[in-house]
Amino acid sequence: MEKLEIKYQKNSFHMRTPYGFTLIEVLIALALLTIIMGAVYTSFFSVNRALDRFDKVSLKYHEARTALDIMKREIEGALVKNPRSEDENKVSAGFVIKDRDILGISASSLELTSYSFRGNSLITVSYFVTMKNGNLSLIKHESPPVFKEKGYSLDFMEDIRGFSVETMFNNTWVKTWDTATTGKLPEIVRLSIEFDDNGKIVTLSEYAKPKVGTKL
């Protein structure tokens, strides 16, 4: 009887009691929990970074489309003669496209006088590209056609990869135009803005036709 009792006590030492877990089981549970939490943590931040990139790219598309739409409206209201000018033979408003580049990147400039789409007032508007902190920005300057020095400038769109303004001449797209030479507005204008979409250069374009007048 004594031998059987001793054997039972030895075996019972290795059995799990109904009151808790062994140290090995606790360590295994902690290890599994750590692995699961690490996977959840990594997935959460990966999704968060992806959403952040998506928001930035979506905002860039929205900014480009808005900028092109504003320029299109201004071109549609462009004119080459200021109706408020006393001298009917004097060209007091014009439409000028200049071909420029910055470090080999297209950076056209555009200047025109137009009826503001926000009202009936005349404005002289110019668009040009400049380098800021290593990035290209599209700048807009707006002023009354008589007092250009009283205008203001603003960052129209930041961090672009190119801006081009073209018009059709002899069935060919060209990047220069000056009403002082041509005596008329271009028949059609193509506006293009380039920007980065996660390492891929995207180009959005818009076409505009002046509607107010085409000749001096």
Side-chain angles (χ1 to χ4, degrees), residues 76-116:
E76 289 176 346
L79 66 160
V80 291
K81 181 183 291 185
N82 189 339
R84 298 175 183 175
S85 175
E86 296 180 358
D87 187 355
E88 293 295 332
N89 296 318
K90 182 180 179 181
V91 179
S92 52
F95 193 102
V96 180
I97 302 173
K98 293 182 179 180
D99 185 15
R100 297 284 187 268
D101 73 86
I102 298 178
L103 301 177
I105 299 174
S106 179
S108 298
S109 66
L110 170 65
E111 182 175 344
L112 68 151
T113 301
S114 172
Y115 285 105
S116 174

Side-chain angles (χ1 to χ4, degrees), residues 116 167 207:
S116 174
T167 184
Y207 295 85

Side-chain angles (χ1 to χ4, degrees), residues 27-205:
L27 292 176
I28 293 174
L30 289 175
L32 292 175
L33 181 61
T34 301
I35 294 172
I36 294 172
M37 291 300 295
V40 171
Y41 179 86
T42 302
S43 299
F44 172 78
F45 280 94
S46 296
V47 172
N48 192 47
R49 286 194 297 268
L51 290 175
D52 185 56
R53 287 195 300 268
F54 177 78
D55 289 340
K56 289 181 179 179
V57 172
S58 297
L59 179 61
K60 189 65 69 175
Y61 275 91
H62 176 72
E63 289 178 346
R65 290 193 179 98
T66 301
L68 291 171
D69 183 64
I70 291 175
M71 287 186 282
K72 176 184 177 181
R73 295 186 186 186
E74 290 170 342
I75 291 173
E76 289 176 346
L79 66 160
V80 291
K81 181 183 291 185
N82 189 339
R84 298 175 183 175
S85 175
E86 296 180 358
D87 187 355
E88 293 295 332
N89 296 318
K90 182 180 179 181
V91 179
S92 52
F95 193 102
V96 180
I97 302 173
K98 293 182 179 180
D99 185 15
R100 297 284 187 268
D101 73 86
I102 298 178
L103 301 177
I105 299 174
S106 179
S108 298
S109 66
L110 170 65
E111 182 175 344
L112 68 151
T113 301
S114 172
Y115 285 105
S116 174
F117 64 89
R118 296 188 298 270
N120 295 323
S121 60
L122 283 174
I123 56 172
T124 295
V125 184
S126 59
Y127 294 92
F128 56 92
V129 178
T130 185
M131 181 77 75
K132 288 187 175 182
N133 300 321
N135 296 320
L136 296 179
S137 295
L138 179 60
I139 308 299
K140 177 181 181 179
H141 181 81
E142 183 175 319
S143 64
V146 180
F147 305 104
K148 293 185 179 181
E149 68 278 2
K150 293 186 178 181
Y152 64 91
S153 298
L154 57 89
D155 290 338
F156 202 53
M157 185 173 177
E158 298 178 338
D159 194 19
I160 64 173
R161 293 295 183 269
F163 172 65
S164 63
V165 183
E166 303 165 282
T167 184
M168 185 69 72
F169 182 74
N170 290 336
N171 296 322
T172 303
W173 288 106
V174 296
K175 292 186 176 182
T176 57
W177 188 272
D178 193 341
T179 50
T181 302
T182 62
K184 63 179 182 179
L185 291 171
E187 295 182 0
I188 187 171
V189 177
R190 180 168 65 186
L191 305 161
S192 300
I193 295 178
E194 297 181 356
F195 57 92
D196 182 83
D197 179 359
N198 291 321
K200 180 179 67 175
I201 302 300
V202 176
T203 303
L204 294 185
S205 299

